[in-house]
Amino acid sequence: MSIEDNGGLRVLAINILGRFLSNCDNNIRFISFSFITLMVATWIGQNQKIRLMVVEINLRGDGAERLRERGRAKAPE
Amino acid sequence: MINFVLLISRQGKVRLTKWYSPYSQKERSKVIRELSGMILSRAPKQCNFVEWRGHKVVYKRYASLYFCMCIDQDDNELEVLEIIHHFVEILDRYFGSVCELDLIFNFHKAYYILDEILIAGELQESSKKTVARLIAAQDSLVENAKEEVSSLSNIIAQATK
């Protein structure tokens, strides 16, 4: 996660990962989900606000708890 | 890297184990007990990855058998799912529609095949044809050895008469 970026690229990255979240295969959803939580953890560590638009996450106790623990993050307006 | 490979039946009986990291006998039995309990209790709709003791366990159910592989935290889970599928396809080709009984009665051959695919917890052979050729060569070697032993025993039997 040490790639230099800006707000626009971050939004694009989240959108790409969000597409994987809408996949019907739970394995792909889990991986994209764990990667999103990794990104959120990195960005929150840098004191930046991110909003994640995660729709219909139904991972049945695999990664959903981790997102709830991190709380709802807000994206740059 | 893959730390260990487990084949567990639906009843929780271990059909095959291969350890690529050092575990004592006590630890091994504890790991098997823990993982079999975790994996067998999971619903079919849940994903095939379990986070366990700082590692990731990737499992897949084929008929009545669960194929489980424990990998490091930063390894690719989907790649390991493909390795499991690769192993199952090779077993299927070798035994001709493999079932649990094949692995019970010919467990040594299953170990041979696994040793051809994985070395030190890393995928070594991605070609199914190559693995099939090597296993066939090994089988012919075993047959030749058996023939030699039987001919030697015949010679000894005749000499002692």
Side-chain angles (χ1 to χ4, degrees):
Chain A
M1 302 301 291
S2 59
I3 302 164
E4 287 186 24
D5 61 352
N6 56 40
L9 280 173
R10 286 175 191 176
V11 171
L12 183 64
I14 288 291
N15 284 339
I16 290 165
L17 286 166
R19 286 186 189 179
F20 285 107
L21 275 177
S22 62
N23 197 300
C24 59
D25 184 8
N26 270 346
N27 297 327
I28 291 167
R29 284 162 72 182
F30 178 82
I31 288 167
S32 62
F33 194 81
S34 57
F35 203 84
I36 284 174
T37 54
L38 179 73
M39 292 169 87
V40 170
T42 309
W43 294 342
I44 286 172
Q46 294 167 356
N47 296 319
Q48 289 171 342
K49 292 182 179 179
I50 306 110
R51 178 171 59 232
L52 289 177
M53 301 298 286
V54 180
V55 183
E56 289 181 335
I57 296 169
N58 184 19
L59 289 175
R60 294 172 184 263
D62 286 320
E65 274 93 350
R66 273 190 281 165
L67 189 72
R68 287 194 205 103
E69 281 167 24
R70 299 207 190 284
R72 291 279 162 81
K74 297 247 167 126
E77 298 296 332
Chain B
M1 95 170 237
I2 296 165
N3 294 304
F4 55 83
V5 179
L6 294 178
L7 262 70
I8 306 166
S9 71
R10 197 79 187 87
Q11 290 78 37
K13 288 179 179 169
V14 179
R15 297 300 180 207
L16 182 143
T17 57
K18 191 79 181 172
W19 305 86
Y20 298 107
S21 295
Y23 287 90
S24 67
Q25 200 58 50
K26 204 173 183 180
E27 281 175 322
R28 286 180 185 189
S29 55
K30 193 182 178 187
V31 164
I32 290 164
R33 196 165 57 248
E34 268 184 46
L35 281 181
S36 57
M38 272 172 67
I39 289 163
L40 293 172
S41 63
R42 283 173 72 84
K45 272 194 173 182
Q46 285 181 297
C47 70
N48 298 111
F49 316 128
V50 182
E51 288 184 357
W52 170 83
R53 284 198 201 173
H55 294 291
K56 284 187 281 199
V57 177
V58 180
Y59 71 93
K60 195 154 170 53
R61 185 184 170 182
Y62 287 94
S64 61
L65 273 177
Y66 284 92
F67 289 75
C68 316
M69 290 187 183
C70 176
I71 56 171
D72 295 330
Q73 196 67 46
D74 53 352
D75 280 346
N76 190 342
E77 301 100 321
L78 294 176
E79 184 190 359
V80 179
L81 270 180
E82 285 300 315
I83 291 170
I84 290 171
H85 189 65
H86 178 63
F87 178 44
V88 171
E89 278 188 330
I90 290 167
L91 286 173
D92 200 56
R93 280 192 192 184
Y94 181 74
F95 290 109
S97 183
V98 70
C99 67
E100 195 178 332
L101 283 172
D102 289 322
L103 297 178
I104 292 166
F105 293 120
N106 299 303
F107 65 93
H108 54 288
K109 289 182 180 179
Y111 276 108
Y112 289 158
I113 292 167
L114 187 61
D115 288 338
E116 290 293 344
I117 298 166
L118 296 175
I119 297 175
E122 300 287 352
L123 181 70
Q124 293 301 319
E125 189 52 73
S126 58
S127 168
K128 294 180 188 72
K129 283 180 183 175
T130 306
V131 173
R133 194 179 70 244
L134 291 166
I135 296 297
Q138 201 170 32
D139 285 346
S140 65
L141 204 69
V142 169
E143 287 302 315
N144 291 339
K146 278 182 183 175
E147 283 170 15
E148 282 176 21
V149 166
S150 63
S151 63
L152 275 170
S153 60
N154 286 338
I155 291 163
I156 291 162
Q158 285 171 1
T160 52
K161 277 179 184 177

